[in-house]
Amino acid sequence: MEGHYRPTTDPAGRTTGCVIELGGRPIGYLQFYRWADWTHEPPQDGEMEIPLAEDPWGLDVYSGEPDLVGRGIGSRAVALACRYLRDARGARVVMLTTDIDNLRAQAAYERADFRKVSRVLDTDTRGGERVWSWLMRWDAMRGGADEAAPA
């Protein structure tokens, strides 16, 4: 994992990547970006409509080491990233997507104070087909998650 993602952690890039570590062990990866930096045209039918006027940040998370699932580590990492975006980057809104069937991820994001907004046809694909996902939103004005609850 580290060899694959570590080169993407350049803070000067449009996307900032972060390796999630626990006791020095790389256990996950997350990246964040201003959504407007990656959106160039109005959405077509079936595409996500992101409220660009709110200058939302996007967050992508890759985790789930089998021996660490269910310990709340992902929720805490996501909450920490949102607090960083709020405090250091001035983010008011952070959004992400998660597969409709991934109930564990949805619960983890809800523990980090995300709320489901709408079902969207994500740009991620499986077997060449785009997948239905939940678009989820974190709002700094609602207070945001200061500490994610343990799983």
Side-chain angles (χ1 to χ4, degrees):
M1 178 187 320
E2 183 174 11
H4 181 75
Y5 289 116
R6 179 88 55 197
T8 68
T9 60
D10 177 10
R14 287 192 303 175
T15 298
T16 301
C18 307
V19 173
I20 303 168
E21 294 182 351
L22 179 66
R25 172 184 165 199
I27 61 166
Y29 173 83
L30 66 80
Q31 61 187 22
F32 55 84
Y33 46 88
R34 273 198 147 87
W35 213 297
D37 288 347
W38 297 99
T39 305
H40 306 289
E41 299 176 9
Q44 304 298 315
D45 286 341
E47 290 187 326
M48 290 183 281
E49 291 192 36
I50 304 299
L52 295 180
E54 296 180 283
D55 192 23
W57 287 74
L59 186 65
D60 300 322
V61 183
Y62 307 94
S63 66
E65 291 290 315
D67 61 320
L68 300 174
V69 170
R71 294 180 47 193
I73 297 166
S75 296
R76 289 192 300 272
V78 167
L80 179 64
C82 289
R83 286 195 312 273
Y84 168 79
L85 289 170
R86 177 191 64 199
D87 297 344
R89 303 282 183 107
R92 295 184 328 259
V93 174
V94 178
M95 302 185 91
L96 55 76
T97 60
T98 185
D99 188 296
I100 286 287
D101 297 324
N102 192 342
L103 302 179
R104 184 180 295 275
Q106 293 165 35
Y109 298 138
E110 287 171 340
R111 281 191 298 275
D113 212 20
F114 277 80
R115 299 295 172 254
K116 293 174 183 168
V117 175
S118 61
R119 285 175 40 116
V120 296
L121 192 56
D122 201 345
T123 55
D124 287 346
T125 60
R126 289 201 185 73
E129 298 290 322
R130 291 175 61 191
V131 296
W132 282 101
S133 298
W134 280 109
L135 178 64
M136 299 184 75
R137 174 187 176 113
W138 175 93
D139 288 287
M141 296 303 291
R142 232 183 42 229
D146 284 329
E147 181 82 25

